[in-house]
Amino acid sequence: MTGTVRRARVGFALFALVTVGGGWLFVALDRATGQLTGTGSAVSADGSTSGQGLWIVVPALTALVLFLVSRDGAGPLGMTPRVPVRWFAFAALFFPVTASVWVAVATVGGFATFTPGLPGSLATVLGFLVVKNVLEEFVFRGYGTRTAMALGLRGVMPHVLVGVVWGLWHLPLYLVWMSPADLRVATTLPLAWYVPLFLLGITALAVLYGELRVRTGSIWPGVVLHTVSGALTVSLMTGGHLRFAGHGGVVFGLDPASVASMLVCGGTGLYLLRRRTGRSGRVSPAIWPCRPRRGQAVPGDEGDRQEAGQQAAAARARRRWASSRRS
């Protein structure tokens, strides 16, 4: 195990511990100080408690401190805005285009009713989500993905690991802080069914968001995708523009727990992953955009160098054999 991998593992373990466990500590803090829970929202600061504020700020501060002190060589935090325009266009259009397709299918099939019109709460929701999503993407893609990619895991596993932490981080919001009215907008299922589906859906989203981070070296396309999808989902659902019949939202809903979201977002993430890694599942140093400091390893480069060396040696042996045959 290299020093880079060892330091990355320690850093990610501390990051996961604070991120997942901190939320429940802040729930206990709210209850100890007599603050009213169950009145908050995922898309505004109305009804929020001090614990809910710490729930998102403390992981961001933890990620920053770990980055500054760990020297794990996993690359920068992805704060650069220098990203090809096509990735921002992809992030802005992906959810409106794909969601409109599956909502149209649901409407034609009688699983949903859609009332055209401009969502009235869009501007209000958008302002809150921009701030929240910058912090959230900084935590889970800026630090989480860049560190998970340095753990020596293959294929989709770094994204799955980040997705598990990301999903567990959400649980205090849904189980304690969120108001029952907001929860009913999110799902018609009981929590015992909704939570496992939500965790699966968040993990599928983590593959897509993580690949955006790896392919661009930046968190900002993820911020755009996160904000656009969240603003449209909340505005359409709370504004009454989109309503599902029965449990139609389980299949065609706009939230991460729906089957459509898992298939489309997870499938797109896997497609981007396959395009990036090819058949081997390795992280290529030529593709990984987070440049390490001089003398520090890029995730996966040791194995890639060994494999490339073996292939080059085999090619040289074949050329020598062919030359001897000709002579």
Side-chain angles (χ1 to χ4, degrees), residues 4-298:
T4 294
V5 173
R6 187 181 301 109
R7 287 190 292 270
R9 289 183 178 180
V10 172
F12 194 90
L14 292 173
F15 162 74
L17 179 64
V18 172
T19 301
V20 175
W24 296 108
L25 288 178
F26 302 141
V27 167
L29 175 65
D30 283 342
R31 289 174 174 170
T33 55
Q35 296 186 62
L36 184 63
T37 59
T39 60
S41 171
V43 295
S44 76
D46 296 340
S48 296
T49 64
S50 57
Q52 192 173 347
L54 292 170
W55 167 71
I56 192 167
V57 171
V58 168
L61 293 175
T62 300
L64 181 60
V65 170
L66 287 173
F67 171 76
L68 293 175
V69 304
S70 67
R71 299 183 178 275
D72 55 18
L77 291 171
M79 301 305 292
T80 177
R82 295 181 180 178
V83 176
V85 174
R86 67 179 183 276
W87 287 109
F88 283 115
F90 172 85
L93 296 175
F94 175 79
F95 189 78
V97 171
T98 56
S100 64
V101 172
W102 81 65
V103 167
V105 172
T107 303
V108 171
F111 298 101
T113 57
F114 178 71
T115 304
L118 183 65
S121 59
L122 183 59
T124 303
V125 170
L126 196 61
F128 175 83
L129 288 179
V130 168
V131 176
K132 180 190 80 73
N133 290 338
V134 168
L135 288 173
E136 193 169 341
E137 290 303 308
F138 172 79
V139 171
F140 293 103
R141 253 60 61 184
Y143 183 81
T145 296
R146 54 81 72 185
T147 309
M149 295 296 291
L151 297 179
L153 303 175
R154 292 174 65 94
V156 76
M157 291 311 299
H159 300 317
V160 171
L161 188 61
V162 174
V164 170
V165 176
W166 190 23
L168 293 175
W169 172 77
H170 278 87
L171 291 187
L173 173 65
Y174 282 89
L175 298 179
V176 179
W177 286 313
M178 185 179 288
S179 69
D182 276 11
L183 191 58
R184 283 194 296 272
V185 171
T187 184
T188 57
L189 293 175
L191 280 175
W193 292 11
Y194 178 73
V195 168
L197 287 174
F198 176 80
L199 293 176
L200 285 174
I202 281 289
T203 303
L205 279 182
V207 180
L208 175 59
Y209 282 79
E211 278 303 302
L212 279 179
R213 165 70 168 92
V214 174
R215 295 290 291 265
T216 66
S218 174
I219 70 168
W220 296 108
V223 171
V224 172
L225 175 58
H226 203 159
T227 302
V228 170
S229 60
L232 285 179
T233 297
V234 173
S235 298
L236 290 174
M237 297 297 291
T238 59
H241 297 279
L242 180 63
R243 298 184 183 277
F244 292 98
H247 294 306
V250 175
V251 177
F252 297 106
L254 301 180
D255 71 295
S258 76
V259 174
S261 176
M262 293 183 206
L263 292 177
V264 172
C265 297
T268 303
L270 289 174
Y271 170 77
L272 293 175
L273 172 68
R274 183 60 179 267
R275 288 290 302 272
R276 177 172 61 84
T277 62
R279 294 180 180 274
S280 69
R282 290 187 183 275
V283 179
S284 169
I287 295 174
W288 176 249
C290 297
R291 298 181 182 276
R293 301 179 184 93
R294 175 174 292 184
Q296 293 178 327
V298 176

